[in-house]
Amino acid sequence: MRMSTGEESLEAGAKTPSLHRRILEDVEGRILSGEWPPGHRIPFEHELTEQYGCSRMTVNKAIIELVKRGLIERRRKSGSFVTHPHAQSAVLEIHDIRLEVEQLGLPYRYEQRARLDRPARAADRRLMDLPEAARVIEVMALHFAGAQPFCLEERLINHAAVPEVANETFGDIAPGAWLISRVPWSAAEHRIRAVGADGRVAGLLAIAPGTPCLVVERRTWSGGLYVTHVRLTYPGEKHELVAEFAPTHPKLA
């Protein structure tokens, strides 16, 4: 599977994924298919460098991403190994916001505020590892619990990962629910932080500026492509996160 310099140029010209992305997809594919089971040592970085005809930095970038996804772990002086299933379990599940509201016993309502089909900006490309020619769908929407805003959703969807999104208006269905029903995601990353609502967010959520809010940012990907990035902003006093987890090494608990 070694690539010559000429082949690498052809790949770039055909707008295929970058070389580090290709390495990532190959390794991820072998892990998810079961070809490389838990505990399997993946090739050393110098072996991958030789196999793909690329720099050590390119291989290292792919390895770091796989570690972030929880698919492999690095062991000092031993190499990188496929993680065991319990280490791949997401702490937070991906839920439909409608269900969150209905579990509170309140009526749910969804309201789209904006939808834009546009070229990916530099910040988008960095966030979702997109090529220069990429396009995204940008959606902003409000989710209501009864008469009050429950959550502000600000989302980017990668055209290349979900081509049918071009024909979806999201007028009647929230992007999250639509994606859950159509795209089998293979991994997700959550970032959670507390912020004070600025004027724009405060106006949308009908709260006072500076009100503490809980922000959940999530990226999901499938088959080596980022599918979506979403920022969910909840008024802090109205929302909490609950997660169940178990120790990776029970004897050390």
Side-chain angles (χ1 to χ4, degrees):
M1 195 169 174
R2 184 183 178 86
M3 292 181 63
S4 68
T5 303
E7 288 173 330
E8 196 169 335
S9 299
L10 286 174
E11 293 287 344
K15 297 182 180 179
T16 55
S18 61
L19 190 51
H20 104 269
R21 173 64 53 186
R22 202 170 157 188
I23 297 169
L24 190 154
E25 290 176 9
D26 286 350
V27 175
E28 180 183 51
R30 289 185 170 95
I31 293 172
L32 296 180
S33 69
E35 180 183 345
W36 288 356
H40 176 85
R41 182 184 65 77
I42 71 170
F44 287 112
E45 288 189 16
H46 69 83
E47 294 174 324
L48 291 172
T49 296
E50 182 178 350
Q51 180 180 350
Y52 287 90
C54 63
S55 69
R56 187 76 172 263
M57 183 180 297
T58 298
V59 170
N60 187 254
K61 185 177 180 182
I63 296 298
I64 289 173
E65 185 68 25
L66 289 162
V67 170
K68 287 181 179 179
R69 297 186 184 187
L71 293 175
I72 66 173
E73 61 179 349
R74 280 172 155 171
R75 299 177 189 171
R76 190 175 180 183
K77 297 183 180 180
S78 299
S80 299
F81 296 79
V82 178
T83 55
H84 289 270
H86 62 261
Q88 298 176 21
S89 299
V91 173
L92 296 173
E93 297 181 8
I94 296 179
H95 292 292
D96 184 349
I97 295 176
R98 173 192 288 271
L99 296 179
E100 295 181 23
V101 173
E102 292 177 345
Q103 286 172 359
L104 296 174
L106 296 171
Y108 169 82
R109 179 166 64 88
Y110 160 76
E111 183 180 298
Q112 184 198 116
R113 289 301 182 92
R115 179 192 181 281
L116 183 63
D117 187 332
R118 61 171 175 78
R121 299 171 185 141
D124 306 330
R125 297 197 297 271
R126 288 193 298 271
L127 189 65
M128 300 173 69
D129 197 18
L130 301 175
E132 287 192 13
R135 295 192 66 84
V136 296
I137 297 290
E138 180 180 3
V139 182
M140 182 174 73
L142 283 171
H143 301 264
F144 289 80
Q148 297 298 314
F150 177 75
C151 174
L152 170 63
E153 176 178 354
E154 299 172 281
R155 183 182 295 270
L156 296 174
I157 304 173
N158 179 12
H159 254 279
V162 199
E164 59 269 34
V165 73
N167 299 317
E168 178 55 55
T169 65
F170 298 115
D172 300 317
I173 184 172
W178 185 85
L179 286 167
I180 287 172
S181 67
R182 285 167 174 78
V183 184
W185 58 278
S186 59
E189 173 190 83
H190 286 87
R191 293 181 182 274
I192 304 165
R193 55 196 173 92
V195 302
D198 60 21
R200 180 185 70 91
V201 170
L204 289 165
L205 290 175
I207 55 179
T211 298
C213 291
L214 183 68
V215 175
V216 179
E217 290 194 62
R218 181 170 63 234
R219 296 190 297 177
T220 58
W221 51 89
S222 178
L225 290 176
Y226 278 100
V227 175
T228 185
H229 173 273
V230 62
R231 180 185 295 110
L232 303 172
T233 304
Y234 300 85
E237 73 278 8
K238 297 180 181 178
H239 196 78
E240 63 179 13
L241 292 174
V242 179
E244 294 183 3
F245 59 93
T248 302
H249 303 289
K251 293 181 180 180
L252 302 179

